[in-house]
């Protein structure tokens, strides 16, 4: 059974600081996704990571994937209040009809 | 640009009642999914479909049924609602082709009292 764990579950950080969210998964996967969810809203796709060593960046967010360690990271650079949201990683295994297994999420709160 | 449309947005049910959550997509996607999200948790897969006439169970299918008579629609049926089914339900779709992300609907918040 594929298990996906994120840490921390809750993160409060000041504007301007850097931090990293970690996503560990238990079995071989083929794709890893990062999503953002604002309170009461749906999920917004941030990144899709396809292979070992993949790195993607969008604004203050950068995601990376290490398939050997079964680890993905979401790095936040110089956080701003607008980044406050819950961030989910999700793992897809090849040949599973694009079914995703989600982590429990990291609730990020950026304070002024 | 509708994408994935879910109705209703909110619903309160009494224990034992039944209802259908509607989901439709206009992107001609073959793959469709129903997820539920309990408070403070990630999403769990209820049912999915890889094309019209084909459905299969996900991680938490008990208490639910689905059908897929057309490519566009993928309704989720709750029979004999229970408090444990209080959750937010998301429908999603995908083309099923390599590297394609899931598109999510806006969600249905369901309370069973």
């Amino acid at each position: 059974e594929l298990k996906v764990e994120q840490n921390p579950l809750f993160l409060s950080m000041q504007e301007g600081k850097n931090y990293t969210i970690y996503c560990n998964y238990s079995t071989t996967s083929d794709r890893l996704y990062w999503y953002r969810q604002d309170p009461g809203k749906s999920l917004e796709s941030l990144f899709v990571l396809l292979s070992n060593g993949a790195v993607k960046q969008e604004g203050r967010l950068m995601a990376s994937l290490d398939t050997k360690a079964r680890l993905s990271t979401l790095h936040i650079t110089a956080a701003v209040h607008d980044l406050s949201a819950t961030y989910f990683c999700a793992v897809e295994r090849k040949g599973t009809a694009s079914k995703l297994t989600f982590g429990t999420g990291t609730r990020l709160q950026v304070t002024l | 640009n509708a994408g994935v449309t879910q109705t209703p947005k909110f619903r309160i049910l009494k224990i034992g009642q039944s209802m259908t959550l509607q989901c439709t997509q206009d992107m001609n996607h073959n793959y469709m999914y129903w997820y539920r999200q309990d408070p403070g948790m990630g999403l769990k897969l209820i049912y999915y479909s890889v094309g019209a006439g084909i459905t299969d169970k996900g991680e938490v299918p008990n208490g639910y049924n689905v059908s897929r008579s057309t490519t566009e629609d993928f309704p989720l049926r709750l029979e004999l609602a229970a408090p444990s089914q209080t959750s937010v339900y998301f429908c999603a779709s995908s083309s099923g082709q390599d590297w394609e992300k899931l598109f999510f609907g806006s969600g249905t918040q369901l309370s069973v009292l």
Side-chain angles (χ1 to χ4, degrees):
Chain A
E1 180 189 351
L2 174 59
K3 295 194 178 195
V4 182
E5 292 183 348
Q6 284 180 241
N7 68 83
L9 298 183
F10 178 73
L11 175 58
S12 180
M13 56 191 299
Q14 288 183 320
E15 276 200 334
K17 299 291 187 183
N18 304 332
Y19 209 82
T20 301
I21 299 171
Y22 297 88
C23 174
N24 290 90
Y25 53 95
S26 60
T27 61
T28 304
S29 84
D30 295 286
R31 273 176 261 185
L32 191 136
Y33 300 76
W34 283 97
Y35 286 90
R36 168 184 172 142
Q37 185 180 38
D38 292 305
K41 303 292 186 183
S42 187
L43 281 78
E44 173 191 355
S45 177
L46 295 174
F47 302 108
V48 182
L49 302 170
L50 305 176
S51 60
N52 189 43
V55 177
K56 289 197 174 179
Q57 183 162 6
E58 178 87 24
R60 300 174 188 274
L61 300 178
M62 183 174 71
S64 66
L65 178 61
D66 181 344
T67 57
K68 292 181 182 177
R70 297 177 186 165
L71 172 69
S72 179
T73 60
L74 181 65
H75 186 73
I76 303 154
T77 302
V80 293
H81 182 67
D82 285 352
L83 290 179
S84 297
T86 299
Y87 293 85
F88 291 97
C89 65
V91 173
E92 177 188 347
R93 296 179 66 187
K94 193 173 184 180
T96 60
S98 302
K99 295 184 292 181
L100 299 185
T101 300
F102 282 80
T104 50
T106 296
R107 185 177 158 213
L108 173 65
Q109 185 176 61
V110 181
T111 57
L112 299 171
Chain B
N1 234 11
V4 179
T5 302
Q6 288 183 239
T7 56
K9 291 192 183 301
F10 303 94
R11 184 72 186 267
I12 298 174
L13 284 182
K14 293 182 180 179
I15 295 172
Q17 286 186 320
S18 301
M19 77 163 294
T20 299
L21 281 65
Q22 301 292 346
C23 175
T24 188
Q25 51 90 9
D26 62 358
M27 297 173 281
N28 201 33
H29 283 168
N30 286 322
Y31 290 16
M32 295 187 75
Y33 311 83
W34 276 105
Y35 286 89
R36 62 176 283 175
Q37 183 180 30
D38 297 329
M41 302 295 289
L43 280 69
K44 293 189 176 180
L45 183 64
I46 306 171
Y47 269 96
Y48 68 101
S49 168
V50 299
I54 305 169
T55 63
D56 207 347
K57 296 177 182 178
E59 186 181 355
V60 289
N62 291 344
Y64 307 94
N65 277 301
V66 293
S67 60
R68 185 94 183 270
S69 56
T70 66
T71 300
E72 295 78 20
D73 300 309
F74 190 41
L76 177 72
R77 177 88 178 154
L78 279 72
E79 304 281 3
L80 299 174
S84 61
Q85 294 178 304
T86 294
S87 190
V88 180
Y89 292 83
F90 289 100
C91 179
S93 75
S94 165
S95 67
Q97 296 175 2
D98 278 350
W99 326 137
E100 179 63 74
K101 65 182 181 183
L102 289 188
F103 292 81
F104 282 88
S106 58
T108 296
Q109 187 171 326
L110 176 68
S111 295
V112 182
L113 305 175

